[in-house]
Amino acid sequence: MVGGDVLVQFSMVQKTYDGETLVVKNLDLDIHRGEFLTLLGPSGSGKTTTLMMLAGFEVPTYGDIKLNGKAINAVPPHKRNIGMVFQNYALFPHMTVEQNVAFPLEVRKVPKAEVGAKVAHALEMVRLAEFGKRRPAQLSGGQQQRVALARALVFDPELVLMDEPLGALDKQLREHMQMEIKDLHEKLGITVVYVTHDQSEALTMSDRVAVFHDGVIQQIAAPDVLYEQPKNAFVANFIGENNNLQGEVESIDGDRCTVRLEDGERISATRVNVYGVDMPTTLSIRPERLVVGGDAADGAANHLDATVVDTIYLGDHLRVVAEAAGKARLMVKMQAAANQPLPRAGDRIALSFRAEDCRAHAPLKTVSAQDD
Amino acid sequence: MSVPQAPSTLSQKFGAGLTWSSSVVVLFFLLAPILAIIPLSFSSGNFLTYPLPGFSLRWYEELLTSEKWLPALRNSMIVGISATILATILGTLAAMGLNRARFPFKPLVMALLLSPMIVPVVITAIGVYFFFAPLGLANSFAGLIIAHTVLGAPFVVITVSATLAHFDIGMARAAASLGAAPLTGFFRVVLPLIMPGVASGALFAFATSFDEVVVALMIAGPEQRTLPREMFSGIRESINPTITAVATVLILTSVVLLVCLEFLRRRNERLTKGA
């Protein structure tokens, strides 16, 4: 899906509400036709503002937004033909489900007979065919969200925006709706721009994820790339779990570097965005990439002696909290093998990991200054 | 509404008793003067006295056949309905504008809009008279309607503002995102949702105009004598029990308006809560 022609293009878009701080800084973003793009980030990172500018409810302070090659900065929301699903559903309480779904067709002056058929089809698509005569308040949260979906899709928009649409649902229903939305996206071939602060939701649903922080896209990539090859310490820590070790770059050799930890231990790591010797760096290692009791034969470049602080048994896997390299706490995720004694608090263990799995980033607070 | 807990201790019982008895006393003082009028309107005698000499509907008959009261009722309706329509439209627009706009003098503008409620009516009436007379608006329906619009609009501004404070801006945005032009969105989505506020404001505006006597005394000419204006001169010139019949009709109108208001409120609650 990625690689289709460009449907939406943000170029040099900036937004400020107070004329002083930029909520969105120099945003360049291409959204491809047919893709499922998620804008992911903590609150205040600029992701919702970006969505609202695309919907037309906020005006960029600077820069252009193009839809199908035409600048839409001056086009009011009702003329953009973009479907939108809101966080609180925003169903019209004084109308029945059918009337809600018929609304976008009626304001477009679609003939009556056609309206009925399209509404019925849209409600069938979200499996609410029998609920047409009810009012939104008589439906459950999940059903209301499905009505909102039907209403945003019934007029066949090319582009559908979703602003944390599943935020109000409980976990089980949310996971179910994630699959439903993904199915609809694939079946209808529409382009979806989805805003969420939930990283597992972003990874589950998207073709690409744009990670926002401080009004800047830190990285935009497919979920697996984002997880395996984060471009900086923020992305590494925001997507999935990570262990962080602080150190200084001792030497650089191509895409590898040697890092001296605070207690003098040397680690061989993959160089991501550190550019000079003696620079401080944050090493990131995924908990599942730390191997307990590995020996030199497995090819791991790095070995650390650690002391177990705590062990958490989770059925299919174990989590071991260990202390290594001075005071650093490391989380280790290991398979729970049968007939194997659990590591206990106070046990000495050897941890090993490959240089490929240990990524040297510039420390977090200087990220936005150095990156891009 | 929360149900008060059954009193258990002696002091709680005493407190509950005090609440009840003081409530009864207050309600009695509020209602007794109004309720005393109603039986008098059915009196067969020529004076406003208790005990009633007998029961009769003669004052209602006089009300409905007189040359004086029927035109006054008609004038009151014309002025009341016109002023209500104008006040509702203007008040709703003002409330919406004030709700959306962000500018430094907003509280000042709000205070100015509400000032007719606070400034003594006599002052408004005199001001209106001196302002309207040179414009040829004194002794005219137009003048009276405009003056009553000014008096009624603040109620609409208040009730609509209160409704808008709880209104979800997402509704208007949803309408726009679905392709509704601003006016379509307003009439099909926003207005139906803020209708309870608009309607109760309209009822208050109507009640204000329907009861208003001071401005009517200043502005209304012989052609525009309204019901309260007629009652006022009726009391001054000759105390005639027809007045009690008129009063009873006015009380009934108010009760009907209040019931409408409550009905609207409940209907809205039902809509938004489902059930």
Side-chain angles (χ1 to χ4, degrees):
Chain A
M1 302 233 192
V2 183
D5 57 333
V6 173
L7 178 65
V8 178
Q9 188 171 40
F10 284 77
S11 37
M12 287 300 284
V13 171
Q14 295 184 339
K15 175 69 186 178
T16 169
Y17 289 107
D18 56 4
E20 283 168 22
T21 42
L22 288 174
V23 184
V24 171
K25 300 170 189 162
N26 297 338
L27 180 74
D28 284 309
L29 171 63
D30 286 354
I31 301 170
H32 304 284
R33 196 181 299 278
E35 83 169 320
F36 195 117
L37 174 73
T38 297
L39 314 182
L40 173 69
S43 54
S45 60
K47 58 187 194 307
T48 303
T49 306
T50 303
L51 193 79
M52 289 302 166
M53 288 193 284
L54 185 49
F57 298 125
E58 299 290 354
V59 181
T61 312
Y62 182 82
D64 280 326
I65 303 174
K66 284 183 181 160
L67 178 66
N68 274 324
K70 282 189 215 91
I72 53 168
N73 292 34
V75 179
H78 68 276
K79 288 188 179 155
R80 294 192 180 193
N81 208 35
I82 295 175
M84 181 145 182
V85 180
F86 293 82
Q87 188 169 14
N88 57 358
Y89 322 134
L91 296 178
F92 305 138
H94 59 298
M95 299 184 191
T96 63
V97 167
E98 276 178 353
Q99 288 166 339
N100 263 284
V101 178
F103 184 84
L105 301 174
E106 283 168 5
V107 298
R108 283 178 173 74
K109 310 259 186 308
V110 173
K112 275 253 157 45
E114 220 173 301
V115 170
K118 284 197 159 186
V119 168
H121 179 250
L123 285 177
E124 216 163 279
M125 188 172 68
V126 295
R127 297 186 286 108
L128 284 176
E130 311 90 87
F131 294 84
K133 300 283 183 242
R134 299 223 192 150
R135 287 195 187 274
Q138 296 168 303
L139 302 180
S140 71
Q143 289 168 334
Q144 291 188 31
Q145 193 50 281
R146 297 222 292 273
V147 176
L149 265 175
R151 191 177 67 171
L153 295 171
V154 72
F155 57 100
D156 301 319
E158 266 186 295
L159 176 61
V160 179
L161 312 181
M162 304 192 187
D163 181 16
E164 309 216 17
L166 307 180
L169 304 180
D170 63 53
K171 187 169 178 291
Q172 212 178 352
L173 195 54
R174 197 161 60 219
E175 282 167 7
H176 178 78
M177 287 298 298
Q178 287 171 5
M179 297 324 291
E180 221 165 291
I181 292 175
K182 205 169 144 70
D183 283 351
L184 279 174
H185 166 247
E186 271 158 32
K187 203 158 60 188
L188 301 175
I190 45 174
T191 310
V192 177
V193 180
Y194 192 99
V195 163
T196 183
H197 61 264
D198 178 343
Q199 48 119 344
S200 76
E201 191 164 287
L203 297 183
T204 313
M205 304 178 74
S206 326
D207 295 319
R208 285 198 302 162
V209 179
V211 181
F212 275 74
H213 179 54
D214 262 350
V216 173
I217 295 185
Q218 304 288 327
Q219 185 170 5
I220 175 163
D224 56 328
V225 177
L226 221 49
Y227 188 84
E228 299 291 344
Q229 297 157 33
K231 266 171 65 182
N232 59 43
F234 179 81
V235 177
N237 286 298
F238 196 73
I239 306 290
E241 271 184 284
N242 242 320
N243 290 301
N244 289 323
L245 292 172
Q246 307 302 331
E248 270 182 14
V249 179
E250 194 170 75
S251 65
I252 292 178
D253 174 21
D255 65 343
R256 287 293 150 86
C257 61
T258 306
V259 172
R260 191 175 55 245
L261 298 185
E262 280 154 0
D263 68 336
E265 195 103 36
R266 284 181 173 70
I267 301 282
S268 168
T270 305
R271 186 171 75 93
V272 183
N273 59 347
V274 287
Y275 305 105
V277 171
D278 289 338
M279 251 185 72
T281 179
T282 302
L283 295 175
S284 302
I285 315 153
R286 299 278 180 203
E288 70 272 19
R289 302 289 159 85
L290 282 167
V291 182
V292 177
D295 48 39
D298 61 13
N302 301 302
H303 302 275
L304 285 175
D305 287 327
T307 311
V308 175
V309 177
D310 198 6
T311 302
I312 304 150
Y313 177 75
L314 288 158
D316 60 333
H317 72 273
L318 287 179
R319 282 170 171 266
V320 179
V321 183
E323 216 167 60
K327 287 275 155 249
R329 289 249 164 145
L330 295 175
M331 173 75 77
V332 184
K333 199 169 163 185
M334 60 188 280
Q335 294 298 314
N339 306 324
Q340 194 190 324
L342 299 181
R344 263 184 298 207
D347 284 1
R348 303 281 300 166
I349 52 171
L351 295 174
S352 57
F353 51 96
R354 303 186 306 160
E356 289 87 339
D357 295 329
C358 177
R359 301 171 62 83
H361 300 287
L364 195 52
K365 46 181 180 263
T366 56
V367 155
S368 41
Q370 300 208 338
D371 206 59
D372 301 317
Chain B
M1 236 171 70
S2 64
V3 182
Q5 282 187 329
S8 48
T9 68
L10 195 65
S11 69
Q12 275 175 333
K13 277 182 187 159
F14 178 72
L18 202 66
T19 310
W20 274 98
S21 50
S22 49
S23 305
V24 168
V25 170
V26 169
L27 282 177
F28 178 78
F29 269 90
L30 285 175
L31 288 178
I34 297 171
L35 294 179
I37 294 288
I38 296 174
L40 285 176
S41 71
F42 295 103
S43 165
S44 57
N46 281 327
F47 301 100
L48 301 175
T49 50
Y50 280 110
L52 300 179
F55 176 84
S56 112
L57 288 173
R58 56 186 282 209
W59 306 117
Y60 287 91
E61 192 189 343
E62 182 160 339
L63 170 64
L64 291 176
T65 52
S66 89
E67 298 282 304
K68 201 164 82 170
W69 294 106
L70 272 189
L73 179 65
R74 202 204 58 197
N75 289 346
S76 269
M77 293 307 277
I78 291 173
V79 173
I81 290 172
S82 314
T84 302
I85 292 172
L86 282 174
T88 307
I89 294 172
L90 293 174
T92 304
L93 290 177
M96 293 198 51
L98 283 170
N99 180 258
R100 294 211 184 148
R102 297 277 170 273
F103 59 96
F105 300 113
K106 205 165 118 171
L108 200 69
V109 174
M110 189 72 168
L112 203 67
L113 281 175
L114 299 187
S115 62
M117 281 174 81
I118 299 145
V119 175
V121 193
V122 184
I123 296 185
T124 311
I126 294 169
V128 163
Y129 179 74
F130 284 117
F131 180 57
F132 278 9
L135 299 175
L137 284 170
N139 298 342
S140 76
F141 271 114
L144 194 56
I145 289 168
I146 292 172
H148 279 186
T149 303
V150 171
L151 291 178
F155 292 98
V156 183
V157 173
I158 287 178
T159 56
V160 176
S161 293
T163 314
L164 283 174
H166 302 286
F167 181 74
D168 177 11
I169 182 78
M171 290 293 166
R173 286 187 163 182
S177 86
L178 294 170
L183 265 186
T184 316
F186 175 75
F187 281 112
R188 294 215 36 200
V189 175
V190 180
L191 189 59
L193 292 177
I194 62 168
M195 205 54 196
V198 176
S200 47
L203 288 178
F204 279 122
F206 182 78
T208 305
S209 166
F210 207 64
D211 289 350
E212 206 286 325
V213 66
V214 184
V215 173
L217 278 170
M218 299 293 272
I219 300 287
E223 295 300 307
Q224 296 92 34
R225 292 169 81 94
T226 60
L227 219 45
R229 167 83 174 77
E230 207 55 64
M231 287 172 79
F232 190 77
S233 49
I235 294 167
R236 252 191 354 183
E237 289 151 18
S238 61
I239 296 216
N240 178 321
T242 318
I243 279 182
T244 61
V246 178
T248 306
V249 170
L250 287 181
I251 292 166
L252 269 179
T253 315
S254 305
V255 169
V256 168
L257 290 182
L258 281 174
V259 169
C260 287
L261 213 69
E262 183 61 16
F263 175 77
L264 269 173
R265 199 183 59 75
R266 294 208 178 167
R267 178 175 162 275
N268 189 53
E269 229 166 53
R270 207 172 54 237
L271 259 186
T272 47
K273 291 220 180 82

